Amino acid sequence: MNINICFHGIGVCTNEREPGEAAYWVSEDVFLGILDAARERPRVRLSFDDGNRSDVEVALPALRTRGLDAEFFALAGRLDDPASLNPADLRSLRAAGMRIGSHGWAHVPWRRMSAGEVRRELDEARTTLAAASDGEIDTAAFPLGRYDRPLLGNLKKRGYTTVYSSDRFPARSESWLQARYSVTAGDTVESVRRIMDHTIGLGDARNVLASVVKRLR
């Protein structure tokens, strides 16, 4: 079983792009402590959503120092935003052995999209990120963690090899749909270490059931 840990921003969120964003930023000291804990736990997988510049300014050097890798889910619509990853950043991440996936175009929920929104979020974002990063994009992470059966079908039809949620339970390594634990501003190194050492049990039943409902609706 994998324990997938997801970060959004490192440091202080000085300009929220949507209400509540700051709650998903973690201090640099806590972030580095979490990486040290992950280094000792081979089943832990790391990822980063939203494509903030802290991914290259803080996360990349820290990962390289510790011999860790990660997957970065960038937003195609923010490649020109000075607070976000740009094409050169994406290429730097790839050159360092990191993986790049799609978080869509505009950080909007992927449920109940129109045909035009599907093309932009699932197709155009993928093509744009592939060109910007000089590599294929075959994985995706749901913005805001929201999904349903039609969305999963759309992603499978397009050949995405793995997709990531925010469902908070351990994931089988071979699963196409991978649940993740998002780190929040309220977390500590110890609270995330407990997640990393977690094995699936009765306490996870609610989160697993919620995932099943999403896949069926």
Side-chain angles (χ1 to χ4, degrees), residues 107-197:
H107 204 250
V108 295
W110 286 355
R111 288 191 67 208
R112 299 175 181 173
M113 292 189 290
S114 68
E117 289 168 334
V118 169
R119 284 193 299 272
R120 184 184 67 171
E121 293 293 328
L122 304 189
D123 299 327
E124 294 172 16
R126 184 183 195 177
T127 301
T128 298
L129 290 170
S133 65
D134 285 341
E136 292 185 3
I137 301 292
D138 57 14
T139 59
F142 308 130
L144 308 175
R146 300 175 193 172
Y147 63 96
D148 55 15
R149 184 172 58 179
L151 172 60
L152 298 180
N154 272 325
L155 290 163
K156 283 190 174 181
K157 182 170 65 176
R158 286 163 169 77
Y160 283 89
T161 58
T162 313
V163 296
Y164 292 84
S165 73
S166 303
D167 285 332
R168 298 187 68 84
F169 56 84
R172 296 184 183 278
S173 57
E174 69 277 10
S175 292
W176 179 75
L177 177 59
Q178 291 278 314
R180 296 182 298 173
Y181 296 84
S182 290
V183 179
T184 70
D187 275 308
T188 63
V189 175
E190 182 55 35
S191 69
V192 178
R193 187 183 290 118
R194 288 195 296 269
I195 291 171
M196 292 178 177
D197 292 334

